[in-house]
């Protein structure tokens, strides 16, 4: 019955649905495919490194470098690749 909730019902519904979008993105990027209402791993295509690099905001930082004029698109992508490789290497060394 809250007036704020009533006035913002659609936005609030989206907030509750975010985990579904997040799960889709993460599994899809890792190499899974959504078929017939369930996730299936595509053989030989699972990217086990997505969970290591995604939380580090590498892609977002690379985009910021480009969009703010700090780097060219090529340099920003080059930085992102090197940063992802560094993160993956460090995570392997921690094992």
């Amino acid at each position: 019955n809250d007036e704020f909730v009533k006035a913002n019902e659609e936005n609030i519904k989206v907030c509750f649905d975010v985990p579904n979008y997040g799960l889709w993105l993460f599994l899809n990027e890792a190499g899974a495919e959504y078929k017939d209402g369930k996730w299936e791993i595509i053989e030989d295509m699972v990217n086990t490194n997505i969970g290591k690099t995604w939380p580090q905001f590498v892609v977002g930082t690379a985009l910021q470098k480009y969009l703010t004029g700090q780097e060219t698109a090529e340099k920003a992508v080059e930085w992102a690749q090197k940063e992802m490789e560094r993160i993956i290497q460090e995570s392997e060394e921690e094992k």
Side-chain angles (χ1 to χ4, degrees):
N1 294 329
D2 184 85
E3 292 302 316
F4 177 83
V5 173
K6 287 180 184 178
N8 295 283
E9 185 176 354
E10 290 304 311
N11 291 332
I12 292 170
K13 284 180 182 177
V14 169
C15 291
F16 280 98
D17 204 30
V18 164
N20 292 326
Y21 290 112
L23 180 64
W24 178 86
L25 175 65
F26 198 77
L27 288 171
N28 186 261
E29 289 291 324
E33 188 173 29
Y34 194 70
K35 284 185 177 180
D36 301 322
K38 64 180 182 175
W39 286 100
E40 295 179 6
I41 302 298
I42 302 169
E43 292 295 323
D44 300 325
M45 288 187 61
V46 177
N47 178 3
T48 58
N49 292 315
I50 190 73
K52 299 170 188 169
T53 61
W54 192 260
Q56 305 298 321
F57 303 108
V58 176
V59 174
T61 302
L63 281 170
Q64 284 184 338
K65 288 175 178 283
Y66 169 68
L67 293 173
T68 60
Q70 296 174 31
E71 299 284 356
T72 64
E74 292 81 8
K75 291 284 186 186
V77 169
E78 182 179 308
W79 173 86
Q81 180 176 350
K82 287 179 182 176
E83 186 66 5
M84 287 181 187
E85 289 171 353
R86 180 191 66 76
I87 291 166
I88 292 165
Q89 180 65 36
E90 285 179 4
S91 71
E92 292 297 316
E93 291 171 359
E94 290 175 3
K95 288 183 177 178

